[in-house]
Amino acid sequence: MAEKIDLSKPEELHKVQKAIELAVTKETEDLLEKLRKHQVDPVGFGEIYNIASQKSGKKKLSKDECRDIMKRAKYDVDVDVKILRTGVIG
């Protein structure tokens, strides 16, 4: 049976928000690592990089160059959860 949490208490609500932030951060980091491992870019990071670099006068990267960059890419995952309402689901 799940532990009852009183979300009307700010400290309890804050604990839940932080727990969700940690879980979503870990899941996102794990997903990004899987994408890197399989050398796929369904999110379109390579295209975003190409658009930004072309605006600064650099040439568009080839697919092989994009894959190479994706292998070395570093991600900074920052999740901020705010629970706006609480209640009973029934």
Side-chain angles (χ1 to χ4, degrees), residues 16-31:
V16 170
Q17 289 176 161
K18 289 299 171 194
I20 294 170
E21 286 175 2
L22 289 172
V24 171
T25 297
K26 181 170 179 1
E27 288 292 322
T28 303
E29 289 171 344
D30 290 348
L31 174 62

Side-chain angles (χ1 to χ4, degrees), residues 30-66:
D30 290 348
L31 174 62
L32 290 169
E33 189 54 38
K34 283 180 185 176
L35 296 176
R36 180 196 325 268
K37 179 182 173 187
H38 294 290
Q39 296 183 10
V40 295
D41 183 19
V43 179
F45 292 126
E47 190 60 32
I48 293 167
Y49 179 88
N50 267 332
I51 291 168
S53 56
Q54 282 182 315
K55 285 182 180 178
S56 65
K58 297 178 184 173
K59 72 174 182 79
K60 186 173 181 173
L61 298 176
S62 69
K63 287 186 181 191
D64 288 336
E65 290 171 318
C66 278

Side-chain angles (χ1 to χ4, degrees), residues 9 13-14 24 35 56-57 61 65 67 70 72-73 83:
K9 295 180 181 177
L13 185 62
H14 181 72
V24 171
L35 296 176
S56 65
L61 298 176
E65 290 171 318
R67 280 193 185 109
M70 294 302 293
R72 299 176 313 207
I83 298 175

